[in-house]
Amino acid sequence: MHLDRAIDAFARYLTTERGFSANTVRAYGADLAGLATFAEDRGATEVHEIGLELLRDWLWTGTEAGLARATIARRSASARGFTAWLTREGTLASDPAVRLRSPKPGRTLPRVINRTQMQELLDRLQLAADTGDPAAIRDLAVIELLYASALRVSELVGLDVGDVDLSRLTVRVTGKGSKERVVPFGVPAQKALLRYLNTARPALAAAAAAAPAGTGSTTALFLGRHRQRLGVRAVYRTVAALLESMPGTGPAGPHALRHTAATHLLDGGADLRAVQEMLGHASLGTTQIYTHVSAERLQQSYRLAHPRA
């Protein structure tokens, strides 16, 4: 089987049988497309021509090019998943990637915004919303909900109006692998959402109604300026602009608010498994990184505050 056709079939398998998200399938596809190009440059175009040495050369070339260890590890995982599937399907007689190894990705602690900074950020959004601008009112509701419920940005933009229960203070979320979970939020987020739904969303929806047929969304919770469901990139731009002037290292996107919410929950005494369920993590090990964040924050506070630190 030609490599390109095999990669397309593998992508369909990940989508239909494994239920992987579109983003995950795209990541696998990008890695394997890179492998196919590398293999074709070396005269290998069929799946049976992919051997362990070629796979090792592919990873080594990426390392020499300065790719991060996390990227090399992801490429290795993509290749192993692909060849394992080909072997199960009977396309390959044996799996060439069984002995493929890659460097373990270095663990980088996520960016966390402290409570004072978070309050300053929300105060800025509140001032902008008080001008009555529908987009500013929406942005306040977006950030309040991201922080309150520790949602992934893809989960947030995928919400419909009917997913929010303002009386019970919960939101129904469709996460990775199309798994649903119900996540709580607090009174500040409830107030921001009520204001948005009663004032800003109708204004944004009216703009959608005035647009050409088929260009607006009638069910999306958050609407963008262009009469469509608010997009991931728009939320990234909003959060990045808010965090630009704040001290701290690490990515300044919406995931920083998810990290912040999880860390603040644990700092406040929340149970680790409850946080795992709220975040939608399949493994408790994924959630445990936030215990490291909390421990590091404790050490920093100790060094600054204790006279004999």
Side-chain angles (χ1 to χ4, degrees):
M1 180 185 291
H2 194 277
L3 264 174
D4 290 339
R5 286 196 290 115
I7 291 169
D8 289 343
F10 182 57
R12 289 193 295 273
Y13 159 77
L14 294 178
T15 301
T16 59
E17 296 189 36
R18 296 295 303 276
F20 284 10
S21 70
N23 288 338
T24 300
V25 175
R26 276 195 296 271
Y28 270 93
D31 286 340
L32 295 175
L35 171 60
T37 300
F38 181 86
E40 287 169 8
D41 287 344
R42 284 148 184 79
T45 59
E46 300 292 320
V47 292
H48 70 269
E49 296 174 308
I50 302 298
L52 178 60
E53 290 306 314
L54 187 145
L55 292 172
R56 284 174 172 168
D57 287 346
W58 177 53
L59 296 182
W60 179 84
T61 301
T63 301
E64 289 295 296
L67 296 181
R69 285 189 298 170
T71 301
I72 300 299
R74 193 199 65 223
R75 284 186 171 189
S76 177
S78 296
R80 289 198 303 271
F82 179 51
T83 58
W85 172 75
L86 287 169
T87 305
R88 289 196 303 272
E89 292 291 301
T91 306
L92 291 177
S94 60
D95 186 351
V98 167
R99 293 188 290 124
L100 186 66
R101 296 291 179 267
S102 64
K104 292 183 179 179
R107 171 156 283 190
T108 302
L109 293 178
R111 179 173 185 170
V112 174
I113 306 160
N114 67 41
R115 291 172 185 266
T116 301
Q117 291 173 330
M118 195 68 218
Q119 188 58 57
E120 291 173 356
L121 185 153
L122 292 168
D123 288 345
R124 284 161 52 195
L125 287 166
Q126 184 68 59
L127 284 173
D130 287 344
T131 66
D133 176 31
I137 295 171
R138 178 204 60 208
D139 290 346
L140 174 61
V142 164
I143 302 304
E144 283 279 15
L145 188 57
L146 277 174
Y147 175 54
S149 298
L151 300 182
R152 301 178 179 94
V153 64
S154 58
E155 295 170 344
L156 177 113
V157 299
L159 292 174
D160 288 335
V161 174
D163 293 328
V164 179
D165 189 330
L166 289 169
S167 60
R168 296 185 178 181
L169 279 71
T170 59
V171 58
R172 186 176 67 251
V173 179
T174 302
K176 289 186 175 181
S178 300
K179 294 180 180 177
E180 282 195 359
R181 67 186 191 279
V182 176
V183 184
F185 55 82
V187 172
Q190 179 199 41
K191 290 180 178 178
L193 285 166
L194 272 170
R195 184 180 184 185
Y196 165 72
L197 289 169
N198 290 333
T199 62
R201 192 182 184 282
L204 295 169
T215 61
S217 173
T218 58
T219 61
L221 175 61
F222 293 114
L223 297 177
R225 286 186 181 275
H226 299 295
R227 312 180 185 103
Q228 297 285 349
R229 181 183 292 272
L230 188 65
V232 168
R233 289 184 181 180
V235 180
Y236 263 91
R237 286 195 296 269
T238 298
V239 177
L242 288 167
L243 299 184
E244 185 177 17
S245 61
M246 287 191 169
T249 58
H255 230 60
L257 299 181
R258 179 170 161 87
H259 297 321
T260 297
T263 303
H264 289 179
L265 281 166
L266 290 171
D267 285 348
D271 177 73
L272 185 62
R273 288 201 175 275
V275 175
Q276 175 195 3
E277 183 176 348
M278 183 172 175
L279 295 174
H281 286 161
S283 166
L284 188 63
T286 308
T287 314
Q288 283 176 331
I289 188 173
Y290 298 109
T291 65
H292 299 309
V293 175
S294 296
E296 185 175 87
R297 285 158 61 88
L298 175 60
Q299 289 175 345
Q300 290 173 347
S301 298
Y302 176 83
R303 286 193 294 269
L304 289 172
H306 199 286
R308 301 181 69 84

